[in-house]
Amino acid sequence: MALPARVRIVEVGPRDGLQNESVRVATPDKIRLVDRLADAGHTHIEVSAFVSPRWVPQMDDAEAVFSGITRRPGVRYTALVPNRTGLDRALGAGVSEVAVFAAASETFSQRNINASIEASLATYAEVCSAAAAAGLPVRGYLSTCFGCPFEGPVPPARVAELAARLVGMGVYEVALSDTIGVAHPAQIREVLEATQPGVPVEKLALHLHDTRGTALVNVYAGLLDGIATFDSSAGGLGGCPYAPGASGNLATEDLVYLLDGLGIETGVQLDGVLTASRGIEPLIGHDLPSRVYQAARARAASGR
Ligand code: HMG
Ligand code: MG
């Protein structure tokens, strides 16, 4: 199959990245990160999460971040919402879109949102209809599609069923998520094949974590199967506080480098992402894992 001519990148660094950093990043620095990511050409930025501040204290300034960013025309500024309270907060903050987040394995659902899969879907159906009434698009995440940190393998048929139910309640796209970075290309194909009879490929995205270094090759497998939306985070920031061992998301720099090399348009400029990453790295207390970022940094240090 031909590769897509254009790919949409959903930048999740300010949310999925920063939610998992042990060092607290100050609100003005988060705002600067979001604005720099927009400068880099991103059109879809997940800014924060309107979740319980007791569960994820790193996201407790969601309102302040939204009120501080400079909104660019054509950019969607989005946030996670776990329930109606989250949606109301998101509406108050003027988000362009919200995302609900279900899981394909029961134990992860309980640990992440303190609810069974069924109970979460009932909540999300309400969130979807209230968002539709407010004219707000809803994206859906489905965690643990390729493996669960507590239960191990997850049947692709279960992923397919849940993805179709999310679409049935009105999400415009389901991000099939490799929460703990265990997927490999054969599994990407298997899950996409299982899912597609119920959900057209245009409504599927891949949200990959790079724990085992397979994220990029999984992108390539996804491209071969017609996936044209990928999530990534600047510098490879990221993880999940309720998934032991989950490390950073696929790095935006690594994704853009691959897609540029393949001649696939993204609208995102690598230099701009590197600038955003350079700004955040000194604030998180460790090196950013992106290989392309590290190569650029080494090159700059050597003066070549
Ligand atoms: P709970 O404790 O069962 O909820 O948490 P509750 O309804 O009993 O409420 C408890 C307290 O939280 C109450 O306050 C509520 O008002 C408050 P109190 O009366 O005790 O003072 N509350 C809220 N406050 C602010 N905003 C809200 C909200 N909701 C309730 N929206 C809940 C249930 C879902 C709220 C909680 O478990 C939660 O917030 N979980 C979020 C966990 C999270 O953010 N995980 C990381 C994101 S998911 C992820 O990273 C995966 C992804 O990247 C894809 C992948 O890689 O797999 C998306
Ligand atoms: Mg994630």
Side-chain angles (χ1 to χ4, degrees), residues 15-16 19 50-56 80 82-83 85-86 89 101 112-114 141 143 177 179 207 209 240-242:
R15 193 281 303 173
D16 207 353
Q19 80 181 8
F50 293 95
V51 296
S52 162
R54 273 205 281 124
W55 284 66
V56 187
L80 293 191
N83 52 22
T85 307
R89 289 177 61 203
F101 48 109
N112 194 37
I113 50 174
N114 201 25
Y141 284 98
S143 288
S177 302
T179 314
H207 174 102
H209 287 254
C240 176
Y242 295 100

Side-chain angles (χ1 to χ4, degrees), residues 10-11 14 34 37-38 42-47 75-79:
V10 178
E11 170 61 55
V34 172
L37 291 167
H42 277 294
T43 54
H44 200 139
I45 304 174
E46 199 167 75
V47 172
V75 181
R76 281 193 184 195
Y77 296 96
T78 81

Side-chain angles (χ1 to χ4, degrees), residues 118-246:
E118 278 311 317
S120 75
L121 292 181
T123 301
Y124 293 149
E126 282 172 35
V127 169
C128 283
S129 40
L136 212 59
V138 184
R139 189 171 200 241
Y141 284 98
L142 191 57
S143 288
T144 61
C145 289
F146 304 90
C148 170
F150 310 107
E151 296 176 17
V154 173
R158 180 70 167 144
V159 174
E161 178 216 330
L162 293 167
R165 286 177 67 184
L166 283 169
V167 170
M169 66 178 70
V171 309
Y172 72 86
E173 173 176 280
V174 179
L176 300 173
S177 302
D178 186 14
T179 314
I180 51 167
V182 286
H184 52 78
Q187 206 186 1
I188 297 283
R189 169 148 294 179
E190 189 188 12
V191 170
L192 289 176
E193 275 175 2
T195 309
Q196 277 180 55
V199 182
V201 71
E202 305 76 44
K203 285 182 180 282
L204 291 174
L206 284 174
H207 174 102
L208 302 166
H209 287 254
D210 201 23
T211 318
R212 290 166 182 77
T214 52
L216 264 192
V217 77
N218 288 336
V219 167
Y220 197 72
L223 290 169
L224 288 173
D225 275 343
I227 297 292
T229 303
F230 295 91
D231 298 3
S232 63
S233 79
L237 287 163
C240 176
Y242 295 100

